[in-house]
Amino acid sequence: MNKVLFLDRDGVINVEKHYLYKIEDFEFIDGVFEACRYFISCGYQIIIITNQGGISKGLYTQKDFEILTLWMLEAFKKEHIEILAVYHCPHHPDMGDVCACRKPKTGMIEKACSDFEIDLANSILIGDKNSDIECGISARIGKNYLISTGYKIDKNIFGVKILDNLKDLVKKEKDE
């Protein structure tokens, strides 16, 4: 069974920008590569799970998402980081979409578990919104971390400690 580091994309991997889909607008968050290398050295594989409701809203296409994703994966490879998989939800409730994949629902994690043998109890999820953490808790992921590099977080209803960034997360994990 594989232990996995599940990462949200916008606000965790890259600077949060409303409905990001262009390569020229993509900015990696400081420390993301170092954090990924650290978790890989601890035996984790990395899976990205991301809501992409802009597809349903017609703000960008599935192809736009795929182009940006391939570019991002290449950037990770140049940093010697292998991403096991990327799962996305193209749906948005404002458009009348009903699905099982949009976080906080657990569909993307369930799909990952059907594609790979994942030990959820020993896995970690990192998100920047309460819906990310709700997803991780519902999926029974062992550790869930909320970082404040994306959305402004007023409160955390889950009792999960809010960390400033990925560097703080690595420090916390090393201290445990």
Side-chain angles (χ1 to χ4, degrees):
M1 301 273 292
N2 302 301
K3 56 184 184 176
V4 169
L5 177 67
F6 289 97
L7 297 175
D8 177 43
R9 190 190 80 178
D10 301 321
V12 174
I13 292 173
N14 57 277
V15 174
E16 176 66 46
K17 296 183 181 174
H18 202 59
Y19 295 111
L20 174 68
Y21 69 96
K22 295 179 183 174
I23 292 170
E24 58 268 22
D25 295 334
F26 193 101
E27 294 177 64
F28 283 98
I29 289 178
D30 185 38
V32 70
F33 297 130
E34 295 83 357
C36 288
R37 280 193 288 273
Y38 169 75
F39 283 102
I40 289 169
S41 76
C42 293
Y44 289 87
Q45 293 185 306
I46 299 172
I47 293 178
I48 297 168
I49 55 172
T50 180
N51 288 343
Q52 293 296 316
I55 296 170
S56 179
K57 287 184 165 188
L59 301 173
Y60 53 93
T61 65
Q62 177 69 30
K63 184 72 174 169
D64 292 330
F65 171 77
E66 291 168 4
I67 290 168
L68 180 62
T69 298
L70 288 174
W71 175 86
M72 177 187 69
L73 293 174
E74 280 302 312
F76 273 110
K77 280 183 186 175
K78 288 177 184 173
E79 293 289 332
H80 310 289
I81 298 165
E82 192 67 37
I83 303 297
L84 185 60
V86 177
Y87 296 95
H88 76 288
C89 173
H91 310 109
H92 198 284
D94 289 352
M95 304 309 292
D97 294 337
V98 177
C99 69
C101 53
R102 185 174 175 84
K103 293 178 285 178
K105 295 178 183 170
T106 59
M108 288 185 278
I109 293 172
E110 292 168 15
K111 175 70 172 129
C113 288
S114 73
D115 291 345
F116 306 99
E117 290 186 29
I118 298 175
D119 178 0
L120 290 176
N122 287 306
S123 292
I124 297 172
L125 181 138
I126 304 171
D128 70 322
K129 295 194 299 192
N130 284 340
S131 60
D132 297 321
I133 303 308
E134 185 179 344
C135 174
I137 290 169
S138 295
R140 300 181 192 248
I141 291 176
K143 292 182 183 178
N144 296 276
Y145 292 108
L146 193 58
I147 58 173
S148 61
T149 50
Y151 280 86
K152 300 292 183 230
I153 301 164
D154 294 326
K155 64 179 183 173
N156 181 13
I157 62 174
F158 301 105
V160 176
K161 183 175 180 188
I162 299 171
L163 300 168
D164 288 334
N165 53 49
L166 289 168
K167 290 177 183 179
D168 286 351
L169 173 59
V170 170
K171 183 180 180 327
K172 180 179 178 6
E173 282 289 309
K174 285 180 178 180
D175 291 345
E176 288 186 355

